Amino acid sequence: MKKIIYISFCFAVTYLSSAQEAQVTIEQDKKIEALLDLYRSALKTSDYYRIQVGFGSHAQAERIKANVEEDFPSLASKIDFDSPTYRVRVGKFKTKMEAERKFNEVRMKYPNAMLLKPKKSAN
């Protein structure tokens, strides 16, 4: 009987008690939003290193891409058309060191792989 009274008392206390409520207002300098916009646009236009693992017809490129996705699932792969061939390229590496590390790993499986440097911008 004591247990039932104790449990019902605990239930009543937790049911009838109310939690604190508050509203948080964040005031942020407008320059921060401008800096974030600048940062986002710089990321979109920034150059990066890529690894080309193969090229050929569209069917060959699809097969190579499927094999690369199986061998290296953590790398993003993409087929680019550069007339007259389709090229399979993987990764987006910000630094040359990061690209070279992954390139050495990829080249063990794909000996014809090439490390592509970012294009110089015309600005």
Side-chain angles (χ1 to χ4, degrees):
M1 184 68 178
K2 287 183 182 180
K3 283 185 181 181
I4 295 174
I5 293 172
Y6 179 72
I7 292 173
S8 61
F9 175 76
C10 289
F11 179 72
V13 168
T14 56
Y15 180 74
L16 296 175
S17 64
S18 61
Q20 296 178 356
E21 294 183 22
Q23 183 176 6
V24 176
T25 304
I26 298 174
E27 293 183 22
Q28 173 175 298
D29 191 356
K30 295 183 192 290
K31 292 179 182 178
I32 292 176
E33 192 61 39
L35 283 173
L36 286 173
D37 290 339
L38 181 65
Y39 177 73
R40 289 181 194 120
S41 67
L43 282 179
K44 288 180 184 176
T45 60
S46 66
D47 295 326
Y48 48 86
Y49 292 86
R50 303 209 54 199
I51 300 170
Q52 181 174 308
V53 292
F55 61 93
S57 68
H58 188 265
Q60 290 171 328
E62 287 289 339
R63 281 194 301 273
I64 293 170
K65 184 177 187 280
N67 290 338
V68 168
E69 287 175 347
E70 186 177 306
D71 295 335
F72 301 99
S74 63
L75 286 179
S77 61
K78 183 180 177 187
I79 297 176
D80 294 330
F81 180 70
D82 191 8
S83 185
T85 60
Y86 292 86
R87 302 171 191 280
V88 180
R89 296 177 176 158
V90 297
K92 283 188 176 183
F93 306 101
K94 290 273 183 199
T95 64
K96 188 173 183 178
M97 183 182 295
E98 180 185 8
E100 286 177 346
R101 284 182 184 149
K102 192 53 92 169
F103 174 66
N104 290 333
E105 186 180 329
V106 170
R107 194 153 186 190
M108 288 181 188
K109 183 73 176 172
Y110 300 93
N112 295 330
M114 294 184 289
L115 181 61
L116 303 176
K117 296 179 183 179
K119 295 179 183 179
K120 298 285 183 190
S121 43
N123 296 353

PDB file of all heavy atoms in Angstrom, residues 57-92:
ATOM      1  N   SER A  57      33.901   5.590 -74.548  1.00  0.00           N
ATOM      2  CA  SER A  57      32.521   5.826 -74.965  1.00  0.00           C
ATOM      3  C   SER A  57      31.635   5.936 -73.728  1.00  0.00           C
ATOM      4  O   SER A  57      32.076   5.665 -72.606  1.00  0.00           O
ATOM      5  CB  SER A  57      32.042   4.678 -75.855  1.00  0.00           C
ATOM      6  OG  SER A  57      31.932   3.498 -75.089  1.00  0.00           O
ATOM      7  N   HIS A  58      30.385   6.297 -73.956  1.00  0.00           N
ATOM      8  CA  HIS A  58      29.467   6.448 -72.820  1.00  0.00           C
ATOM      9  C   HIS A  58      29.298   5.128 -72.075  1.00  0.00           C
ATOM     10  O   HIS A  58      29.294   5.094 -70.842  1.00  0.00           O
ATOM     11  CB  HIS A  58      28.110   6.984 -73.304  1.00  0.00           C
ATOM     12  CG  HIS A  58      27.207   7.340 -72.174  1.00  0.00           C
ATOM     13  ND1 HIS A  58      26.266   6.470 -71.682  1.00  0.00           N
ATOM     14  CD2 HIS A  58      27.131   8.462 -71.400  1.00  0.00           C
ATOM     15  CE1 HIS A  58      25.626   7.037 -70.672  1.00  0.00           C
ATOM     16  NE2 HIS A  58      26.135   8.253 -70.483  1.00  0.00           N
ATOM     17  N   ALA A  59      29.185   4.028 -72.796  1.00  0.00           N
ATOM     18  CA  ALA A  59      29.026   2.713 -72.157  1.00  0.00           C
ATOM     19  C   ALA A  59      30.270   2.345 -71.346  1.00  0.00           C
ATOM     20  O   ALA A  59      30.162   1.830 -70.227  1.00  0.00           O
ATOM     21  CB  ALA A  59      28.737   1.646 -73.212  1.00  0.00           C
ATOM     22  N   GLN A  60      31.444   2.608 -71.912  1.00  0.00           N
ATOM     23  CA  GLN A  60      32.684   2.323 -71.182  1.00  0.00           C
ATOM     24  C   GLN A  60      32.777   3.184 -69.925  1.00  0.00           C
ATOM     25  O   GLN A  60      33.181   2.700 -68.861  1.00  0.00           O
ATOM     26  CB  GLN A  60      33.896   2.592 -72.071  1.00  0.00           C
ATOM     27  CG  GLN A  60      34.068   1.604 -73.199  1.00  0.00           C
ATOM     28  CD  GLN A  60      35.154   2.048 -74.170  1.00  0.00           C
ATOM     29  OE1 GLN A  60      35.361   3.241 -74.378  1.00  0.00           O
ATOM     30  NE2 GLN A  60      35.826   1.076 -74.757  1.00  0.00           N
ATOM     31  N   ALA A  61      32.415   4.442 -70.046  1.00  0.00           N
ATOM     32  CA  ALA A  61      32.469   5.352 -68.890  1.00  0.00           C
ATOM     33  C   ALA A  61      31.509   4.899 -67.805  1.00  0.00           C
ATOM     34  O   ALA A  61      31.841   4.960 -66.615  1.00  0.00           O
ATOM     35  CB  ALA A  61      32.152   6.775 -69.334  1.00  0.00           C
ATOM     36  N   GLU A  62      30.328   4.430 -68.182  1.00  0.00           N
ATOM     37  CA  GLU A  62      29.368   3.929 -67.189  1.00  0.00           C
ATOM     38  C   GLU A  62      29.932   2.717 -66.454  1.00  0.00           C
ATOM     39  O   GLU A  62      29.769   2.589 -65.239  1.00  0.00           O
ATOM     40  CB  GLU A  62      28.041   3.564 -67.865  1.00  0.00           C
ATOM     41  CG  GLU A  62      27.216   4.755 -68.306  1.00  0.00           C
ATOM     42  CD  GLU A  62      26.602   5.511 -67.143  1.00  0.00           C
ATOM     43  OE1 GLU A  62      26.457   4.949 -66.044  1.00  0.00           O
ATOM     44  OE2 GLU A  62      26.275   6.695 -67.346  1.00  0.00           O
ATOM     45  N   ARG A  63      30.590   1.810 -67.182  1.00  0.00           N
ATOM     46  CA  ARG A  63      31.191   0.631 -66.545  1.00  0.00           C
ATOM     47  C   ARG A  63      32.314   1.037 -65.595  1.00  0.00           C
ATOM     48  O   ARG A  63      32.405   0.535 -64.474  1.00  0.00           O
ATOM     49  CB  ARG A  63      31.724  -0.342 -67.609  1.00  0.00           C
ATOM     50  CG  ARG A  63      30.656  -1.201 -68.244  1.00  0.00           C
ATOM     51  CD  ARG A  63      31.266  -2.361 -69.021  1.00  0.00           C
ATOM     52  NE  ARG A  63      32.156  -1.922 -70.086  1.00  0.00           N
ATOM     53  CZ  ARG A  63      31.772  -1.608 -71.321  1.00  0.00           C
ATOM     54  NH1 ARG A  63      30.507  -1.691 -71.649  1.00  0.00           N
ATOM     55  NH2 ARG A  63      32.663  -1.230 -72.225  1.00  0.00           N
ATOM     56  N   ILE A  64      33.156   1.963 -66.036  1.00  0.00           N
ATOM     57  CA  ILE A  64      34.258   2.427 -65.186  1.00  0.00           C
ATOM     58  C   ILE A  64      33.714   3.094 -63.934  1.00  0.00           C
ATOM     59  O   ILE A  64      34.192   2.840 -62.823  1.00  0.00           O
ATOM     60  CB  ILE A  64      35.173   3.396 -65.966  1.00  0.00           C
ATOM     61  CG1 ILE A  64      35.897   2.655 -67.092  1.00  0.00           C
ATOM     62  CG2 ILE A  64      36.177   4.056 -65.036  1.00  0.00           C
ATOM     63  CD1 ILE A  64      36.624   3.572 -68.070  1.00  0.00           C
ATOM     64  N   LYS A  65      32.691   3.917 -64.095  1.00  0.00           N
ATOM     65  CA  LYS A  65      32.083   4.609 -62.952  1.00  0.00           C
ATOM     66  C   LYS A  65      31.501   3.611 -61.951  1.00  0.00           C
ATOM     67  O   LYS A  65      31.665   3.761 -60.739  1.00  0.00           O
ATOM     68  CB  LYS A  65      30.998   5.568 -63.427  1.00  0.00           C
ATOM     69  CG  LYS A  65      30.374   6.395 -62.328  1.00  0.00           C
ATOM     70  CD  LYS A  65      29.355   7.359 -62.918  1.00  0.00           C
ATOM     71  CE  LYS A  65      28.816   8.321 -61.895  1.00  0.00           C
ATOM     72  NZ  LYS A  65      27.797   7.810 -61.039  1.00  0.00           N
ATOM     73  N   ALA A  66      30.834   2.575 -62.459  1.00  0.00           N
ATOM     74  CA  ALA A  66      30.272   1.548 -61.572  1.00  0.00           C
ATOM     75  C   ALA A  66      31.381   0.830 -60.802  1.00  0.00           C
ATOM     76  O   ALA A  66      31.246   0.565 -59.597  1.00  0.00           O
ATOM     77  CB  ALA A  66      29.442   0.553 -62.376  1.00  0.00           C
ATOM     78  N   ASN A  67      32.485   0.531 -61.484  1.00  0.00           N
ATOM     79  CA  ASN A  67      33.611  -0.134 -60.822  1.00  0.00           C
ATOM     80  C   ASN A  67      34.249   0.769 -59.767  1.00  0.00           C
ATOM     81  O   ASN A  67      34.596   0.319 -58.675  1.00  0.00           O
ATOM     82  CB  ASN A  67      34.662  -0.554 -61.849  1.00  0.00           C
ATOM     83  CG  ASN A  67      34.193  -1.683 -62.731  1.00  0.00           C
ATOM     84  OD1 ASN A  67      33.283  -2.430 -62.373  1.00  0.00           O
ATOM     85  ND2 ASN A  67      34.789  -1.812 -63.900  1.00  0.00           N
ATOM     86  N   VAL A  68      34.398   2.043 -60.096  1.00  0.00           N
ATOM     87  CA  VAL A  68      35.005   2.991 -59.151  1.00  0.00           C
ATOM     88  C   VAL A  68      34.121   3.143 -57.920  1.00  0.00           C
ATOM     89  O   VAL A  68      34.618   3.182 -56.790  1.00  0.00           O
ATOM     90  CB  VAL A  68      35.251   4.354 -59.837  1.00  0.00           C
ATOM     91  CG1 VAL A  68      35.592   5.424 -58.819  1.00  0.00           C
ATOM     92  CG2 VAL A  68      36.353   4.232 -60.861  1.00  0.00           C
ATOM     93  N   GLU A  69      32.816   3.234 -58.126  1.00  0.00           N
ATOM     94  CA  GLU A  69      31.907   3.379 -56.981  1.00  0.00           C
ATOM     95  C   GLU A  69      31.936   2.152 -56.090  1.00  0.00           C
ATOM     96  O   GLU A  69      31.728   2.247 -54.888  1.00  0.00           O
ATOM     97  CB  GLU A  69      30.488   3.652 -57.473  1.00  0.00           C
ATOM     98  CG  GLU A  69      30.323   5.052 -58.026  1.00  0.00           C
ATOM     99  CD  GLU A  69      28.962   5.316 -58.633  1.00  0.00           C
ATOM    100  OE1 GLU A  69      28.202   4.333 -58.855  1.00  0.00           O
ATOM    101  OE2 GLU A  69      28.647   6.480 -58.886  1.00  0.00           O
ATOM    102  N   GLU A  70      32.212   1.007 -56.674  1.00  0.00           N
ATOM    103  CA  GLU A  70      32.325  -0.222 -55.883  1.00  0.00           C
ATOM    104  C   GLU A  70      33.664  -0.258 -55.145  1.00  0.00           C
ATOM    105  O   GLU A  70      33.728  -0.650 -53.981  1.00  0.00           O
ATOM    106  CB  GLU A  70      32.194  -1.435 -56.806  1.00  0.00           C
ATOM    107  CG  GLU A  70      32.145  -2.752 -56.077  1.00  0.00           C
ATOM    108  CD  GLU A  70      31.935  -3.904 -57.039  1.00  0.00           C
ATOM    109  OE1 GLU A  70      30.959  -3.852 -57.817  1.00  0.00           O
ATOM    110  OE2 GLU A  70      32.742  -4.844 -56.999  1.00  0.00           O
ATOM    111  N   ASP A  71      34.737   0.145 -55.825  1.00  0.00           N
ATOM    112  CA  ASP A  71      36.077   0.094 -55.223  1.00  0.00           C
ATOM    113  C   ASP A  71      36.315   1.209 -54.212  1.00  0.00           C
ATOM    114  O   ASP A  71      37.003   1.009 -53.213  1.00  0.00           O
ATOM    115  CB  ASP A  71      37.145   0.173 -56.318  1.00  0.00           C
ATOM    116  CG  ASP A  71      37.129  -1.036 -57.234  1.00  0.00           C
ATOM    117  OD1 ASP A  71      36.678  -2.114 -56.795  1.00  0.00           O
ATOM    118  OD2 ASP A  71      37.569  -0.903 -58.399  1.00  0.00           O
ATOM    119  N   PHE A  72      35.772   2.399 -54.483  1.00  0.00           N
ATOM    120  CA  PHE A  72      35.980   3.563 -53.624  1.00  0.00           C
ATOM    121  C   PHE A  72      34.640   4.227 -53.332  1.00  0.00           C
ATOM    122  O   PHE A  72      34.329   5.284 -53.892  1.00  0.00           O
ATOM    123  CB  PHE A  72      36.932   4.559 -54.287  1.00  0.00           C
ATOM    124  CG  PHE A  72      38.281   3.988 -54.603  1.00  0.00           C
ATOM    125  CD1 PHE A  72      38.580   3.544 -55.879  1.00  0.00           C
ATOM    126  CD2 PHE A  72      39.242   3.883 -53.618  1.00  0.00           C
ATOM    127  CE1 PHE A  72      39.820   3.008 -56.170  1.00  0.00           C
ATOM    128  CE2 PHE A  72      40.487   3.349 -53.906  1.00  0.00           C
ATOM    129  CZ  PHE A  72      40.781   2.899 -55.181  1.00  0.00           C
ATOM    130  N   PRO A  73      33.831   3.645 -52.454  1.00  0.00           N
ATOM    131  CA  PRO A  73      32.483   4.199 -52.210  1.00  0.00           C
ATOM    132  C   PRO A  73      32.502   5.574 -51.535  1.00  0.00           C
ATOM    133  O   PRO A  73      31.540   6.314 -51.640  1.00  0.00           O
ATOM    134  CB  PRO A  73      31.829   3.146 -51.312  1.00  0.00           C
ATOM    135  CG  PRO A  73      32.950   2.384 -50.706  1.00  0.00           C
ATOM    136  CD  PRO A  73      34.090   2.443 -51.680  1.00  0.00           C
ATOM    137  N   SER A  74      33.597   5.940 -50.902  1.00  0.00           N
ATOM    138  CA  SER A  74      33.639   7.241 -50.222  1.00  0.00           C
ATOM    139  C   SER A  74      33.942   8.394 -51.179  1.00  0.00           C
ATOM    140  O   SER A  74      33.772   9.552 -50.812  1.00  0.00           O
ATOM    141  CB  SER A  74      34.680   7.210 -49.107  1.00  0.00           C
ATOM    142  OG  SER A  74      35.968   7.002 -49.657  1.00  0.00           O
ATOM    143  N   LEU A  75      34.391   8.090 -52.385  1.00  0.00           N
ATOM    144  CA  LEU A  75      34.709   9.131 -53.357  1.00  0.00           C
ATOM    145  C   LEU A  75      33.514   9.404 -54.257  1.00  0.00           C
ATOM    146  O   LEU A  75      32.903   8.478 -54.783  1.00  0.00           O
ATOM    147  CB  LEU A  75      35.891   8.709 -54.238  1.00  0.00           C
ATOM    148  CG  LEU A  75      37.271   8.739 -53.615  1.00  0.00           C
ATOM    149  CD1 LEU A  75      38.312   8.264 -54.618  1.00  0.00           C
ATOM    150  CD2 LEU A  75      37.616  10.134 -53.143  1.00  0.00           C
ATOM    151  N   ALA A  76      33.217  10.661 -54.461  1.00  0.00           N
ATOM    152  CA  ALA A  76      32.156  11.039 -55.388  1.00  0.00           C
ATOM    153  C   ALA A  76      32.689  10.894 -56.807  1.00  0.00           C
ATOM    154  O   ALA A  76      33.768  11.384 -57.120  1.00  0.00           O
ATOM    155  CB  ALA A  76      31.719  12.476 -55.127  1.00  0.00           C
ATOM    156  N   SER A  77      31.950  10.218 -57.670  1.00  0.00           N
ATOM    157  CA  SER A  77      32.383  10.033 -59.047  1.00  0.00           C
ATOM    158  C   SER A  77      31.418  10.722 -59.996  1.00  0.00           C
ATOM    159  O   SER A  77      30.235  10.888 -59.696  1.00  0.00           O
ATOM    160  CB  SER A  77      32.496   8.547 -59.375  1.00  0.00           C
ATOM    161  OG  SER A  77      31.260   7.920 -59.223  1.00  0.00           O
ATOM    162  N   LYS A  78      31.961  11.112 -61.139  1.00  0.00           N
ATOM    163  CA  LYS A  78      31.171  11.871 -62.094  1.00  0.00           C
ATOM    164  C   LYS A  78      31.686  11.588 -63.499  1.00  0.00           C
ATOM    165  O   LYS A  78      32.880  11.411 -63.703  1.00  0.00           O
ATOM    166  CB  LYS A  78      31.300  13.359 -61.785  1.00  0.00           C
ATOM    167  CG  LYS A  78      30.488  14.263 -62.653  1.00  0.00           C
ATOM    168  CD  LYS A  78      30.702  15.706 -62.253  1.00  0.00           C
ATOM    169  CE  LYS A  78      29.921  16.619 -63.184  1.00  0.00           C
ATOM    170  NZ  LYS A  78      30.226  18.022 -62.926  1.00  0.00           N
ATOM    171  N   ILE A  79      30.771  11.556 -64.463  1.00  0.00           N
ATOM    172  CA  ILE A  79      31.150  11.407 -65.862  1.00  0.00           C
ATOM    173  C   ILE A  79      31.046  12.781 -66.511  1.00  0.00           C
ATOM    174  O   ILE A  79      29.997  13.411 -66.483  1.00  0.00           O
ATOM    175  CB  ILE A  79      30.240  10.395 -66.586  1.00  0.00           C
ATOM    176  CG1 ILE A  79      30.390   9.004 -65.971  1.00  0.00           C
ATOM    177  CG2 ILE A  79      30.565  10.365 -68.072  1.00  0.00           C
ATOM    178  CD1 ILE A  79      29.462   7.969 -66.554  1.00  0.00           C
ATOM    179  N   ASP A  80      32.159  13.236 -67.085  1.00  0.00           N
ATOM    180  CA  ASP A  80      32.201  14.512 -67.798  1.00  0.00           C
ATOM    181  C   ASP A  80      32.376  14.232 -69.283  1.00  0.00           C
ATOM    182  O   ASP A  80      33.180  13.376 -69.667  1.00  0.00           O
ATOM    183  CB  ASP A  80      33.366  15.379 -67.309  1.00  0.00           C
ATOM    184  CG  ASP A  80      33.203  15.830 -65.882  1.00  0.00           C
ATOM    185  OD1 ASP A  80      32.044  15.993 -65.450  1.00  0.00           O
ATOM    186  OD2 ASP A  80      34.226  16.011 -65.196  1.00  0.00           O
ATOM    187  N   PHE A  81      31.640  14.951 -70.110  1.00  0.00           N
ATOM    188  CA  PHE A  81      31.788  14.814 -71.555  1.00  0.00           C
ATOM    189  C   PHE A  81      32.725  15.886 -72.051  1.00  0.00           C
ATOM    190  O   PHE A  81      32.502  17.074 -71.868  1.00  0.00           O
ATOM    191  CB  PHE A  81      30.431  14.939 -72.260  1.00  0.00           C
ATOM    192  CG  PHE A  81      30.541  14.812 -73.751  1.00  0.00           C
ATOM    193  CD1 PHE A  81      30.855  13.602 -74.333  1.00  0.00           C
ATOM    194  CD2 PHE A  81      30.351  15.907 -74.561  1.00  0.00           C
ATOM    195  CE1 PHE A  81      30.968  13.481 -75.708  1.00  0.00           C
ATOM    196  CE2 PHE A  81      30.454  15.810 -75.931  1.00  0.00           C
ATOM    197  CZ  PHE A  81      30.763  14.590 -76.512  1.00  0.00           C
ATOM    198  N   ASP A  82      33.818  15.451 -72.633  1.00  0.00           N
ATOM    199  CA  ASP A  82      34.775  16.350 -73.255  1.00  0.00           C
ATOM    200  C   ASP A  82      35.008  15.784 -74.647  1.00  0.00           C
ATOM    201  O   ASP A  82      35.707  14.790 -74.817  1.00  0.00           O
ATOM    202  CB  ASP A  82      36.071  16.400 -72.438  1.00  0.00           C
ATOM    203  CG  ASP A  82      36.999  17.514 -72.873  1.00  0.00           C
ATOM    204  OD1 ASP A  82      36.581  18.347 -73.695  1.00  0.00           O
ATOM    205  OD2 ASP A  82      38.144  17.540 -72.377  1.00  0.00           O
ATOM    206  N   SER A  83      34.388  16.405 -75.620  1.00  0.00           N
ATOM    207  CA  SER A  83      34.319  15.873 -76.979  1.00  0.00           C
ATOM    208  C   SER A  83      35.661  15.333 -77.440  1.00  0.00           C
ATOM    209  O   SER A  83      36.677  15.989 -77.266  1.00  0.00           O
ATOM    210  CB  SER A  83      33.842  16.977 -77.919  1.00  0.00           C
ATOM    211  OG  SER A  83      33.652  16.460 -79.208  1.00  0.00           O
ATOM    212  N   PRO A  84      35.743  14.161 -77.943  1.00  0.00           N
ATOM    213  CA  PRO A  84      34.694  13.216 -78.310  1.00  0.00           C
ATOM    214  C   PRO A  84      34.517  12.086 -77.297  1.00  0.00           C
ATOM    215  O   PRO A  84      33.877  11.090 -77.593  1.00  0.00           O
ATOM    216  CB  PRO A  84      35.219  12.651 -79.634  1.00  0.00           C
ATOM    217  CG  PRO A  84      36.694  12.584 -79.423  1.00  0.00           C
ATOM    218  CD  PRO A  84      37.023  13.784 -78.578  1.00  0.00           C
ATOM    219  N   THR A  85      35.107  12.196 -76.106  1.00  0.00           N
ATOM    220  CA  THR A  85      35.041  11.092 -75.156  1.00  0.00           C
ATOM    221  C   THR A  85      34.370  11.492 -73.850  1.00  0.00           C
ATOM    222  O   THR A  85      34.252  12.660 -73.505  1.00  0.00           O
ATOM    223  CB  THR A  85      36.456  10.563 -74.819  1.00  0.00           C
ATOM    224  OG1 THR A  85      37.202  11.626 -74.258  1.00  0.00           O
ATOM    225  CG2 THR A  85      37.156  10.029 -76.048  1.00  0.00           C
ATOM    226  N   TYR A  86      33.963  10.461 -73.117  1.00  0.00           N
ATOM    227  CA  TYR A  86      33.422  10.630 -71.774  1.00  0.00           C
ATOM    228  C   TYR A  86      34.533  10.292 -70.788  1.00  0.00           C
ATOM    229  O   TYR A  86      35.215   9.286 -70.939  1.00  0.00           O
ATOM    230  CB  TYR A  86      32.223   9.709 -71.562  1.00  0.00           C
ATOM    231  CG  TYR A  86      31.029  10.078 -72.395  1.00  0.00           C
ATOM    232  CD1 TYR A  86      30.891   9.610 -73.693  1.00  0.00           C
ATOM    233  CD2 TYR A  86      30.047  10.911 -71.885  1.00  0.00           C
ATOM    234  CE1 TYR A  86      29.791   9.961 -74.471  1.00  0.00           C
ATOM    235  CE2 TYR A  86      28.944  11.271 -72.650  1.00  0.00           C
ATOM    236  CZ  TYR A  86      28.827  10.790 -73.941  1.00  0.00           C
ATOM    237  OH  TYR A  86      27.742  11.146 -74.691  1.00  0.00           O
ATOM    238  N   ARG A  87      34.714  11.133 -69.795  1.00  0.00           N
ATOM    239  CA  ARG A  87      35.793  10.943 -68.822  1.00  0.00           C
ATOM    240  C   ARG A  87      35.199  10.728 -67.429  1.00  0.00           C
ATOM    241  O   ARG A  87      34.303  11.453 -67.024  1.00  0.00           O
ATOM    242  CB  ARG A  87      36.711  12.154 -68.822  1.00  0.00           C
ATOM    243  CG  ARG A  87      37.300  12.414 -70.202  1.00  0.00           C
ATOM    244  CD  ARG A  87      38.031  13.729 -70.261  1.00  0.00           C
ATOM    245  NE  ARG A  87      38.359  14.099 -71.615  1.00  0.00           N
ATOM    246  CZ  ARG A  87      39.382  13.617 -72.316  1.00  0.00           C
ATOM    247  NH1 ARG A  87      40.165  12.721 -71.761  1.00  0.00           N
ATOM    248  NH2 ARG A  87      39.611  14.019 -73.538  1.00  0.00           N
ATOM    249  N   VAL A  88      35.727   9.735 -66.735  1.00  0.00           N
ATOM    250  CA  VAL A  88      35.264   9.431 -65.378  1.00  0.00           C
ATOM    251  C   VAL A  88      36.243  10.059 -64.405  1.00  0.00           C
ATOM    252  O   VAL A  88      37.435   9.745 -64.404  1.00  0.00           O
ATOM    253  CB  VAL A  88      35.171   7.911 -65.138  1.00  0.00           C
ATOM    254  CG1 VAL A  88      34.688   7.623 -63.732  1.00  0.00           C
ATOM    255  CG2 VAL A  88      34.271   7.258 -66.167  1.00  0.00           C
ATOM    256  N   ARG A  89      35.724  10.965 -63.586  1.00  0.00           N
ATOM    257  CA  ARG A  89      36.554  11.684 -62.630  1.00  0.00           C
ATOM    258  C   ARG A  89      35.982  11.505 -61.228  1.00  0.00           C
ATOM    259  O   ARG A  89      34.774  11.462 -61.052  1.00  0.00           O
ATOM    260  CB  ARG A  89      36.626  13.163 -63.003  1.00  0.00           C
ATOM    261  CG  ARG A  89      37.309  13.347 -64.352  1.00  0.00           C
ATOM    262  CD  ARG A  89      37.352  14.757 -64.795  1.00  0.00           C
ATOM    263  NE  ARG A  89      38.098  14.840 -66.044  1.00  0.00           N
ATOM    264  CZ  ARG A  89      37.975  15.817 -66.901  1.00  0.00           C
ATOM    265  NH1 ARG A  89      37.138  16.813 -66.663  1.00  0.00           N
ATOM    266  NH2 ARG A  89      38.688  15.829 -68.001  1.00  0.00           N
ATOM    267  N   VAL A  90      36.882  11.414 -60.260  1.00  0.00           N
ATOM    268  CA  VAL A  90      36.460  11.198 -58.870  1.00  0.00           C
ATOM    269  C   VAL A  90      37.075  12.250 -57.967  1.00  0.00           C
ATOM    270  O   VAL A  90      38.133  12.802 -58.253  1.00  0.00           O
ATOM    271  CB  VAL A  90      36.838   9.786 -58.363  1.00  0.00           C
ATOM    272  CG1 VAL A  90      36.140   8.716 -59.156  1.00  0.00           C
ATOM    273  CG2 VAL A  90      38.332   9.576 -58.399  1.00  0.00           C
ATOM    274  N   GLY A  91      36.376  12.498 -56.868  1.00  0.00           N
ATOM    275  CA  GLY A  91      36.881  13.347 -55.798  1.00  0.00           C
ATOM    276  C   GLY A  91      36.839  14.823 -56.108  1.00  0.00           C
ATOM    277  O   GLY A  91      36.749  15.253 -57.255  1.00  0.00           O
ATOM    278  N   LYS A  92      36.878  15.588 -55.035  1.00  0.00           N
ATOM    279  CA  LYS A  92      37.051  17.038 -55.066  1.00  0.00           C
ATOM    280  C   LYS A  92      37.968  17.355 -53.900  1.00  0.00           C
ATOM    281  O   LYS A  92      37.544  17.388 -52.755  1.00  0.00           O
ATOM    282  CB  LYS A  92      35.714  17.761 -54.888  1.00  0.00           C
ATOM    283  CG  LYS A  92      34.855  17.787 -56.097  1.00  0.00           C
ATOM    284  CD  LYS A  92      33.661  18.688 -55.868  1.00  0.00           C
ATOM    285  CE  LYS A  92      32.841  18.806 -57.119  1.00  0.00           C
ATOM    286  NZ  LYS A  92      31.709  19.726 -56.943  1.00  0.00           N
TER     287      LYS A  92
END
